Amino acid sequence: MLISQLLRHKDPEVATVDGSASVRSALALLAAKGIGALVVSSDGRRVDGIVSERDVARGLHERGADLLADPVSSVMTAEVHVCAPDANVENLARTMTDHRVRHVPVVAEGALVGIVSIGDVVKARLDELEDERRQLVNYIQT
């Protein structure tokens, strides 16, 4: 399965935040949308970084509550793993596991077109395995 197929079943809107926004406002956006990460982007197209609940939790542990007034750019992950829409879900699963990342922005021709979470990847892989199982059972029974 390709990432583009997976994206067809997701909301096309990708939640982004400007790097100059406060960490507090990023947390409010994460809570309002019920998501675990935001793509940091000054224009909604370019990926400048990614900020997750994990980044904020670690920042709070290291720097305390004053962190909430700091810009998102101070806690974001700047080296972001991205993938293309024609990437294979199985390969992305391996990348996410190897690099311990839970969210990967999808970029086409330099522009942000989606985001994939580890949950999306696991669901897609389970669906693929279930389809294979069903085909094998049908083959055996015929």
Side-chain angles (χ1 to χ4, degrees):
M1 177 181 279
L2 299 179
I3 297 301
S4 59
Q5 294 168 296
L6 192 152
L7 289 177
R8 285 187 209 137
H9 303 287
K10 293 187 58 145
D11 184 349
E13 180 188 343
V14 179
T16 64
V17 64
D18 192 279
S20 64
S22 71
V23 172
R24 183 183 312 278
S25 65
L27 281 174
L29 187 55
L30 287 168
K33 296 197 172 279
I35 56 177
L38 297 166
V39 174
V40 181
S41 177
S42 59
D43 62 6
R45 294 178 40 83
R46 187 181 67 232
V47 177
D48 301 324
I50 193 162
V51 63
S52 69
E53 295 167 326
R54 182 190 296 180
D55 295 323
V56 175
R58 288 179 178 163
L60 285 168
H61 173 72
E62 293 168 4
R63 297 171 19 207
D66 290 343
L67 170 83
L68 297 174
D70 290 348
V72 167
S73 60
S74 71
V75 295
M76 75 179 191
T77 300
E79 292 184 29
V80 182
H81 293 276
V82 299
C83 72
D86 62 352
N88 183 289
V89 170
E90 186 175 342
N91 292 340
L92 182 60
R94 187 167 294 111
T95 298
M96 293 174 94
T97 301
D98 291 347
H99 296 282
R100 301 181 60 97
V101 295
R102 296 180 182 175
H103 301 87
V104 175
V106 182
V107 175
E109 298 177 15
L112 178 66
V113 296
I115 189 165
V116 178
S117 72
I118 192 70
D120 298 328
V121 170
V122 168
K123 182 182 181 320
R125 288 294 294 141
L126 289 173
D127 289 348
E128 283 181 329
L129 292 171
E130 178 59 26
D131 285 345
E132 288 176 19
R133 185 198 66 78
R134 193 174 329 147
Q135 289 173 13
L136 287 170
V137 167
N138 287 340
Y139 178 77
I140 291 169
Q141 290 178 348
T142 56

